[in-house]
Amino acid sequence: MSTVETARPRTRRDVKRARGPYGRVQQVVDELDDRLGLAKGGRTFLDKIFPDHWSFMLGEIALYSFVVLLVTGVFLTLYFVPSQATVIYHGAYKPLDGVRMSEAYESTVNISFAVRAGLLMRQMHHWAADVFVGAIVVHMARIFFTGAFRKPRELNWTIGVTLLILAILNGFIGYSLPDDLISGTGLRIGYSIILSIPFVGSYLAFFVFGGTFPGHVIIDRLYIIHVLIIPLIILGLLGAHLGLLVRQKHTQFPGKGRTEHNVVGSPMFPTFMAKTTGFLLMVGGGLALLGGLAQINPIWQFGPYQASKISYAVQPDWYMGWLDGALRIMPSWQWTAWGHTLPWEVFFPAVLFPGLIFNVCFAWPAIERKFTKDNALHNLLDRPRDRPKRTGVGVAMIALLFTLFAASSTDVLANFFHISLNEVLIFFRFAVFVIPVVAGFAAWRICLEMQGVTGIGKRKRAMVISRTATGEYVSEDSAPRPGDGHRELEPEPVPVRIELEPAAVGAAVGTSADDDTPGVRRVNR
Amino acid sequence: MTDETQVTDAEGDVVSAHDAGTRTAVAMPVARFDDPHMREAARNPRQAEQIIAVLMLIGIAGIAGFGAAYWQNAAPWIIAVTLGVGLFFLGFGMTAWGKYLMPQGPFVEERHPLASSDDERQAMAAALVERTGVVVKRRRLLGGLLGGGLGIFGIVAMFPLLRSMGPLPGDALDRTDWKKGTYLVDSNGRRVRSDEMEVGGIMTVYPAGLENTDAGQAIDQTVLIRVQDTAFTTVKGRETWAPLGYVAYSKVCTHLGCPVGLYERELELLVCPCHQSMFNVRDGAVPQFGPAPRPLPQLPLYIDANGYLRSQSGYDQAVGPGFWERTNQGNGTA
Ligand code: HEM
Ligand code: FES
């Protein structure tokens, strides 16, 4: 590096001076830049702007739950034994003493009772999985309703839908691993669903399970898929997802100084980095609290899997509920002809229907473009009420999935309301058609109504009404919230250099008229 | 930017001094320390700093507590709370620091179009089309061979990848282990005698010797119910199948294979807990309700000279859920 090499410093002070005003940091940057040429791009990255809106945080929840899944998952692999070999249990949990079980189940009971912090790690892993899928779904809803999937971001939407499918799949596979009574029942249902596929079903089922259910290879196979294959694919897709985000930059809501050709917000370094790193810790801490205080999947209560046993009122993890509901309310239509059977009652709700839903998700950007004929690039977001039709469709879809989810507890509802199971079933068979249509239509109408109202959607400020000594009433806006003052400023490029000299500051502080503006006040230190 | 900020090329020399002559100087927007854009959002930064410091201290205490709790092997909830509180508060403090005490802008970044120029686009397309064209035109044969080779590899690779994962189904899905004369045994392997079950009783039975095997558990499992009538016929043609009111059905639900484990004694209904299919014990386990499409197959029973329950034959059809090759003709008799 020219400066450093030629100056031949002798004293410490010389060294310091030779490095320039930025000292050792400059040296590291120089050395890296010589080899990688990253000063320019790296600085652009530090200046990357993140729009300040709470809804941009949903994807972060998903990302950080995945981090927690990776960490706790690696911990679990140290103790989990993916084997269906039979053992007799003699461990820390006395009620199961002497019970026949698979090594997979035994090792999961051991993780829960014999490994230090094992139960916490297991429960954190399970909670993180539920939060992961939940955050993906809510994140996806915000992308949908604000139109963030429009050109040029269709590819990222597609990656997102794929991530959702993989997350659901890995969640199902994950809770199949402990080989307890509930997970075994889930696997049996999975096997039967594969069987229902026309032409190839029985072949596929035999290949996946290595023969008839349950066989003795399935846990081992699912294990490697669960801990290696799907997480790797998810990691790769996450990289692509975030890479595209950096390349295409964030979308933003319309607002002061915001156009299709810029991004307004706070910079990657230091503001966003501090906020998001803190948020990672918060998600981790929240999941630790959930995992430690809220019991989930107490497999020792269910007992080991035995194909002829079943526990009552079993519910799958929440993200499988809609499929379970669809299976429940499907009429028992099975076609048999020419020596073949087509089990519609399974194939439709468990294979075709989810296939249809996910394909509609994949295709949505194209479907919408077909209707709007809009091929322009969009970086400014829609407010949902400004797109009543899209909002209506989205609400209808959510209503459909919720109805199916509710239908997965037909028995619970029948017991609770003391009505016959039959009536509940018939209600849901109609409801899956009626509720989405009504909800979608209502959402569409409400959007149209909201468009006419001025000032809606703005952050409300409380009115402060005070009575003067003379008995007069005066109403005033309350003080703006912290940060609101910043909203009023004209956006500026991120400064590269900041005058840190206090001399330059001192004069302005305390005298500035700004000081009365809440939110931008500076106090001299 | 406001007045105190200028874009000064001269200032740029400081950073890129070593080669200022060879590269264009970097535009370096400068902000003064008291530029409103650089200011904190907190109304009272001093107080905010103190609050955040307290949050972080709680976080540090939590994390230290987690270490201690883990070391002492404390109760799981203590380990969890110390860890959770530690991470959460440290993170909360950090986020608040970023939100209230760091430059809030608003800052702006230009969004440069991603699209290349029309010439660039055409050059790319030309490279693809024309180079491919010249190769394919000259060497059709090689292209075809390569494509064919890869195609064949794809098909051949399916065998090790797919085929060796499991056996072919053959007629495995049609068969059970029930044969002519098989003893019915309970889960401990004890043979079931005709005089030991009460009317209204129900139990799960297996083919003798298989009660603890995967196949016995998953495929052969059968429910045995004793109904009131002694001369009892479920369906025409099955007159001899239920001696002394002992009737046996496959326990594998015809919907998705869950064990049909619930029995409503008064209604004489078998109920599957998975999706609430209900099967009427009296009329041959025809589904009365729910998604199951077919009756549970019935196992023909007889009582031998010593009073033991045995099967007359296997099931007359495949048990469990439907699949493409399943026929409605009985072929499960083995
Ligand atoms: C997409 C991400 C993932 C999801 C949705 C997920 C979900 C799950 C779920 C729900 C369970 C059942 C936990 C229980 O209640 O017992 C589980 C178990 C397990 N997971 Fe994951 N997981 C993911 C990633 C990982 C990774 C990356 C690893 C390891 C590197 C891992 C290792 C394990 C192990 C060893 C088990 C079995 C032990 C046990 O059940 O306690 N998982 N997973
Ligand atoms: S498996 Fe029995 S009703 Fe679904």
Side-chain angles (χ1 to χ4, degrees):
Chain A
M1 192 81 321
S2 47
T3 5
V4 178
E5 280 162 11
T6 51
R8 301 215 173 227
R10 266 168 298 164
T11 65
R12 275 171 148 235
R13 234 176 116 200
D14 283 346
V15 175
K16 232 177 166 178
R17 186 173 306 148
R19 282 190 195 128
Y22 304 113
R24 207 173 274 282
V25 173
Q26 182 72 69
Q27 201 180 11
V28 172
V29 169
D30 288 347
E31 294 296 338
L32 283 176
D33 194 52
D34 279 346
R35 291 164 177 81
L36 305 169
L38 48 58
K40 193 164 168 227
R43 218 254 295 149
T44 316
F45 184 68
L46 296 184
D47 288 357
K48 180 176 165 48
I49 295 295
F50 290 80
D52 292 315
H53 193 269
W54 62 268
S55 67
F56 286 66
M57 186 192 66
L58 300 167
E60 285 171 53
I61 302 185
L63 183 63
Y64 298 145
S65 326
F66 183 64
V67 172
V68 173
L69 280 168
L70 287 180
V71 175
T72 53
V74 169
F75 181 96
L76 292 176
T77 58
L78 303 178
Y79 304 99
F80 180 71
V81 184
S83 152
Q84 278 158 290
T86 316
V87 289
I88 307 288
Y89 181 77
H90 294 293
Y93 185 64
K94 290 300 165 214
L96 285 175
D97 197 60
V99 173
R100 291 165 62 90
M101 56 180 66
S102 65
E103 282 187 296
Y105 183 78
E106 184 198 36
S107 62
T108 314
V109 175
N110 282 340
I111 291 175
S112 310
F113 291 103
V115 174
R116 204 176 276 200
L119 181 62
L120 172 63
M121 290 295 154
R122 252 198 73 228
Q123 300 201 136
M124 268 179 87
H125 193 70
H126 205 127
W127 272 116
D130 284 355
V131 171
F132 182 46
V133 183
I136 295 179
V137 171
V138 183
H139 171 62
M140 184 175 162
R142 105 98 172 124
I143 302 294
F144 179 86
F145 286 112
T146 60
F149 57 82
R150 289 172 301 171
K151 191 177 175 181
R153 296 185 178 75
E154 303 97 327
L155 181 59
N156 236 4
W157 167 263
T158 313
I159 294 177
V161 178
T162 315
L163 281 169
L164 172 63
I165 297 173
L166 289 173
I168 291 179
L169 193 66
N170 219 31
F172 175 76
I173 294 178
Y175 73 72
S176 298
L177 290 179
D179 205 23
D180 59 281
L181 197 49
I182 290 185
S183 72
T185 307
L187 275 183
R188 164 130 227 175
I189 291 178
Y191 170 82
S192 306
I193 289 173
I194 303 178
L195 272 187
S196 77
I197 301 171
F199 307 109
V200 296
S202 42
Y203 291 86
L204 268 186
F206 269 55
F207 293 163
V208 172
F209 283 76
T212 47
F213 180 86
H216 48 269
V217 296
I218 187 66
I219 299 280
D220 204 7
R221 287 183 180 175
L222 293 181
Y223 180 66
I224 197 65
I225 295 176
H226 181 82
V227 304
L228 181 72
I229 298 177
I230 296 187
L232 258 192
I233 302 177
I234 290 184
L235 268 178
L237 288 176
L238 272 178
H241 201 67
L242 300 179
L244 276 176
L245 178 78
V246 171
R247 182 142 179 82
Q248 299 178 330
K249 301 203 164 88
H250 274 86
T251 53
Q252 61 189 347
F253 282 105
K256 181 163 181 147
R258 301 176 189 174
T259 70
E260 288 281 2
H261 307 290
N262 68 12
V263 199
V264 172
S266 40
M268 171 72 128
F269 182 75
T271 312
F272 180 76
M273 261 186 191
K275 286 200 277 190
T276 200
T277 311
F279 196 58
L280 164 65
L281 297 179
M282 282 164 72
V283 170
L287 287 172
L289 288 175
L290 270 176
L293 300 178
Q295 187 181 66
I296 190 163
N297 204 16
I299 49 120
W300 56 92
Q301 291 175 10
F302 308 145
Y305 182 56
Q306 242 186 308
S308 63
K309 284 212 178 131
I310 181 135
S311 76
Y312 306 111
V314 288
Q315 300 283 327
D317 266 23
W318 72 267
Y319 43 84
M320 303 301 283
W322 60 293
L323 291 177
D324 193 51
L327 278 167
R328 281 184 191 215
I329 62 173
M330 178 75 190
S332 53
W333 292 334
Q334 173 172 297
W335 291 353
T336 40
W338 302 294
H340 287 293
T341 297
L342 181 51
W344 274 119
E345 83 284 358
V346 177
F347 184 59
F348 180 76
V351 182
L352 285 189
F353 172 69
L356 185 79
I357 294 280
F358 285 125
N359 273 306
V360 169
C361 290
F362 276 126
W364 181 261
I367 297 175
E368 187 176 300
R369 190 161 50 224
K370 192 132 211 122
F371 283 100
T372 57
K373 308 263 185 304
D374 173 6
N375 201 31
L377 295 164
H378 292 282
N379 296 314
L380 283 180
L381 294 172
D382 291 329
R383 314 214 60 164
R385 64 164 173 275
D386 293 331
R387 295 279 177 275
K389 288 189 194 132
R390 180 203 291 147
T391 305
V393 171
V395 168
M397 177 72 112
I398 292 175
L400 171 67
L401 296 177
F402 261 96
T403 312
L404 287 173
F405 180 77
S408 74
S409 7
T410 40
D411 48 338
V412 181
L413 293 172
N415 277 342
F416 187 78
F417 292 110
H418 297 289
I419 33 182
S420 85
L421 206 50
N422 207 4
E423 281 160 15
V424 178
L425 184 82
I426 292 186
F427 167 77
F428 274 111
R429 282 183 181 164
F430 285 101
V432 275
F433 296 103
V434 177
I435 292 183
V437 172
V438 172
F441 185 77
W444 174 75
R445 274 286 350 162
I446 292 173
C447 288
L448 290 181
E449 296 292 330
M450 280 169 74
Q451 283 178 356
V453 184
T454 52
I456 196 166
K458 286 244 174 67
R459 192 143 130 184
K460 305 265 186 317
R461 270 210 233 151
M463 303 291 281
V464 179
I465 300 186
S466 41
R467 194 171 152 232
T468 61
T470 56
E472 221 180 330
Y473 287 93
V474 214
S475 103
E476 273 178 313
D477 276 356
S478 62
R481 296 167 193 231
D484 273 0
H486 286 265
R487 255 162 258 265
E488 313 302 325
L489 296 173
E490 201 60 46
E492 296 289 351
V494 185
V496 173
R497 308 231 11 247
I498 301 167
E499 296 288 355
L500 288 176
E501 303 310 315
V505 180
V509 169
T511 56
S512 156
D514 276 353
D515 257 337
D516 297 329
T517 320
V520 292
R521 181 176 312 168
R522 255 201 68 84
V523 173
N524 205 357
R525 302 189 195 173
Chain B
M1 212 151 200
T2 40
D3 294 349
E4 56 271 24
T5 309
Q6 323 107 24
V7 178
T8 38
D9 291 346
E11 293 285 338
D13 290 342
V14 178
V15 171
S16 46
H18 57 281
D19 53 6
T22 53
R23 284 189 220 169
T24 45
V26 184
M28 289 233 182
V30 179
R32 260 176 46 194
F33 196 56
D34 60 339
D35 182 314
H37 289 84
M38 301 310 292
R39 285 190 185 165
E40 301 144 325
R43 213 168 288 169
N44 187 344
R46 224 238 112 110
Q47 195 186 354
E49 182 183 3
Q50 283 160 358
I51 294 174
I52 291 171
V54 171
L55 290 173
M56 287 182 152
L57 281 174
I58 298 176
I60 293 170
I63 288 171
F66 167 65
Y70 183 84
W71 178 42
Q72 293 295 321
N73 198 7
W77 73 266
I78 299 180
I79 300 185
V81 169
T82 47
L83 174 66
V85 166
L87 289 181
F88 188 88
F89 278 84
L90 197 61
F92 196 71
M94 191 161 174
T95 304
W97 182 10
K99 191 165 163 55
Y100 293 109
L101 295 179
M102 284 190 189
Q104 290 302 306
F107 294 113
V108 64
E109 178 185 35
E110 289 311 307
R111 195 194 291 278
H112 304 289
L114 290 174
S116 326
S117 70
D118 285 351
D119 286 352
E120 284 291 349
R121 294 181 181 202
Q122 206 185 14
M124 172 94 183
L128 286 172
V129 172
E130 282 162 18
R131 271 176 228 173
T132 316
V134 76
V135 168
V136 171
K137 247 190 216 127
R138 287 210 192 126
R139 298 285 177 265
R140 275 256 149 86
L141 174 70
L142 295 185
L145 287 177
L146 181 67
L150 290 178
I152 292 171
F153 175 70
I155 295 169
V156 171
M158 296 240 304
F159 282 86
L161 279 181
L162 254 187
R163 174 63 188 86
S164 60
M165 284 176 68
L168 293 179
D171 63 350
L173 287 168
D174 300 321
R175 278 187 288 115
T176 65
D177 296 301
W178 295 101
K179 300 194 176 58
K180 185 168 189 302
T182 309
Y183 285 97
L184 279 59
V185 299
D186 66 12
S187 57
N188 297 319
R190 243 173 26 86
R191 291 177 185 176
V192 183
R193 278 178 62 95
S194 64
D195 50 7
E196 61 187 37
M197 222 164 122
E198 286 169 18
V199 167
I202 176 169
M203 70 191 292
T204 305
V205 293
Y206 310 89
L210 298 177
E211 62 278 1
N212 270 326
T213 60
D214 280 349
Q217 286 272 330
I219 301 166
D220 305 328
Q221 52 170 320
T222 295
V223 275
L224 179 66
I225 298 169
R226 187 165 188 192
V227 296
Q228 189 90 51
D229 321 52
T230 46
F232 173 62
T233 307
T234 53
V235 175
K236 216 160 150 323
R238 300 184 181 173
E239 284 77 7
T240 64
W241 288 20
L244 290 181
Y246 280 100
V247 57
Y249 292 109
S250 163
K251 199 181 171 184
V252 187
C253 185
T254 54
H255 181 222
L256 284 165
C258 286
V260 182
L262 288 169
Y263 183 49
E264 291 266 359
R265 192 157 291 146
E266 290 89 78
L267 302 171
E268 294 185 312
L269 285 177
L270 279 166
V271 182
C272 178
C274 280
H275 314 98
Q276 280 74 45
S277 286
M278 295 180 187
F279 304 90
N280 190 332
V281 171
R282 291 222 150 242
D283 66 4
V286 170
Q288 289 227 317
F289 175 86
R294 271 172 289 109
L296 299 169
Q298 187 182 352
L299 186 69
L301 302 179
Y302 71 99
I303 296 168
D304 73 4
N306 297 324
Y308 288 111
L309 284 165
R310 296 164 76 173
S311 54
Q312 291 183 28
S313 68
Y315 284 102
D316 64 350
Q317 55 185 288
V319 300
F323 52 97
W324 180 245
E325 294 86 358
R326 186 182 194 283
T327 61
N328 261 1
Q329 281 96 51
N331 53 5
T333 324

